Amino acid sequence: MTITVSPIFLFNAERSEPEAAELWDGITDQQLGDWEGEWVPELFKAVQKLHRAGVERRHWPQSRHWNWRKKTEALQGMLAHLGFSIVCNGMTQGMMIVDTTMKRCRIEEQKGKNLVYVEFVENAPWNRPELAQPPLYRGIGSILVRAAIALSQEEEFKGRIGLHSLPQANSFYANTCGMSDLGMDPDHQDLRYFEMTPEQAEAFIAKGNQP
Amino acid sequence: MRIEITKEWCLRMAEIEANAEIGAGLYALDPVFDGETMPANETNEEPSIAFGRFVRLMRRDRGLTLEKLAEDTDVEISELVEIEDDTHHKPELRTVYQLANYFKVPRSNLLQVAGLTAPRDNRLIDEAVRFAARSESVAVLTPEERAALEAFVAVLSEEK
């Protein structure tokens, strides 16, 4: 698998300064290794901390029907899919898996048209606000959405993308990304479905160009 | 595909994004660590035996009671009892991590021995079976047990 690397920057909140990073157009064994070897143990530590701090279990970041092994298998199965990852300081900081063939648009004005469907987006535990105080790197979500738009444009889908957001990320996709909220989807464990039109994609990119 | 994104764009969006959560897709749901037992894997019976023996012998070799090991590793004592005494018990992932850290052996190897990940290293599994066969769970660590334990730890400690 040939990976093309695009230079990007993240904001290192610990040092309060920009840090050079890389956007890879793929998920490789390195990402899986980082996930298994670094992300999962960090997640454990964070959960232990919450436990010790007496945080009620319902506020822990675990979710419903996953167990660890099923998730590992799912991620391994995604190696063949299109995806992007962000690498900074030698470590995977964020991952995204996309699909360009199986899903179609749901918004009325573009219903039935092709889109880039984002199957999966995840930030490293140390970049997640509910797990790390303060999170280390900022900007990962925006760059991954930008990558999904770029792929959509390359596929001649004009920037149309769609995804099911985790509840705690609804605000990011609605407000920061400006995507349309189509409500809870009973076929996806009631996660809310968000979709971006070409105009919204343009507006999102323009947002980052404004001072 | 190469994507051109300016430094200014990255930093402006990082500022707007701030500390937002970004998880999306069913695969982004966090795994459940507690309360949910791992599905049994019929093919990993021998390594599970080895895992229980390994924990017991490492504990005894250090002269630790179950209570002390439970305290030091922050693992429920009931789970340690099950690990040592019930070869069918599938340990919690977190427990294996804690024990690997405590006994200073690579996590990924101990996960294989515990039967929580698919065996990737046949030699490690062969050694685990051999170790299980050679080690007896009696009160005092015999020189033979110690030798078996040391030989297994040496294999277990090999980083890939």
Side-chain angles (χ1 to χ4, degrees), chain A residues 3-8 23-25 84 147 150-151 154, chain B residues 1-5:
Chain A
I3 295 289
T4 303
V5 172
S6 305
I8 52 165
L23 174 64
W24 295 14
D25 64 345
F84 292 89
L151 177 65
E154 185 171 276
Chain B
M1 63 181 282
R2 193 178 163 88
I3 302 174
E4 300 294 338
I5 309 178

Side-chain angles (χ1 to χ4, degrees), chain A residues 61-66 71 120 122 166-167 189 191, chain B residues 24-31:
Chain A
Q62 294 100 327
S63 296
R64 300 166 283 201
H65 302 301
W66 271 118
K71 179 153 177 168
F120 163 77
E122 192 163 347
L166 296 196
Q189 294 192 24
L191 299 182
Chain B
L26 289 177
Y27 295 122
L29 292 171
D30 287 318

Side-chain angles (χ1 to χ4, degrees), chain A residues 84-121:
Chain A
F84 292 89
S85 42
I86 289 178
V87 177
C88 186
N89 198 19
M91 176 58 58
T92 306
Q93 304 292 343
M95 284 190 260
M96 175 172 75
I97 305 278
V98 296
D99 176 79
T100 56
T101 58
M102 302 296 284
K103 300 279 202 305
R104 294 290 181 271
C105 290
R106 299 187 190 181
I107 292 181
E108 201 51 46
E109 65 189 82
Q110 57 189 22
K111 200 167 189 166
K113 289 187 176 167
N114 286 310
L115 84 170
V116 168
Y117 177 73
V118 177
E119 297 264 10
F120 163 77
V121 174

Side-chain angles (χ1 to χ4, degrees), chain A residues 114-116 149-160:
Chain A
N114 286 310
L115 84 170
V116 168
I149 293 171
L151 177 65
S152 173
Q153 289 167 336
E154 185 171 276
E155 296 281 330
E156 300 188 343
F157 301 164
K158 301 181 176 175
R160 293 186 297 265

Side-chain angles (χ1 to χ4, degrees), chain A residues 145-181:
Chain A
V145 168
R146 174 86 187 255
I149 293 171
L151 177 65
S152 173
Q153 289 167 336
E154 185 171 276
E155 296 281 330
E156 300 188 343
F157 301 164
K158 301 181 176 175
R160 293 186 297 265
I161 67 171
L163 55 84
H164 286 85
S165 164
L166 296 196
Q168 57 270 33
N170 287 342
S171 161
F172 172 71
Y173 291 108
N175 302 321
T176 305
C177 302
M179 297 172 78
S180 298
D181 179 356

Side-chain angles (χ1 to χ4, degrees), chain B residues 86-151:
Chain B
D86 179 2
T87 57
H88 296 285
H89 176 72
K90 288 287 173 193
E92 295 287 337
L93 178 66
R94 173 182 171 275
T95 302
V96 181
Y97 274 138
Q98 297 292 93
L99 291 169
N101 289 342
Y102 187 76
F103 293 134
K104 297 188 172 49
V105 294
R107 293 183 191 123
S108 57
N109 285 354
L110 201 58
L111 282 172
Q112 288 183 63
V113 171
L116 293 190
T117 53
R120 281 178 291 197
D121 180 349
N122 288 335
R123 179 162 163 258
L124 178 61
I125 300 307
D126 289 346
E127 285 296 328
V129 174
R130 195 169 305 147
F131 168 69
R134 287 197 302 218
S135 54
E136 285 292 333
S137 50
V138 292
V140 181
L141 208 62
T142 65
E144 291 76 19
E145 279 180 327
R146 184 181 304 279
L149 178 64
E150 283 170 1

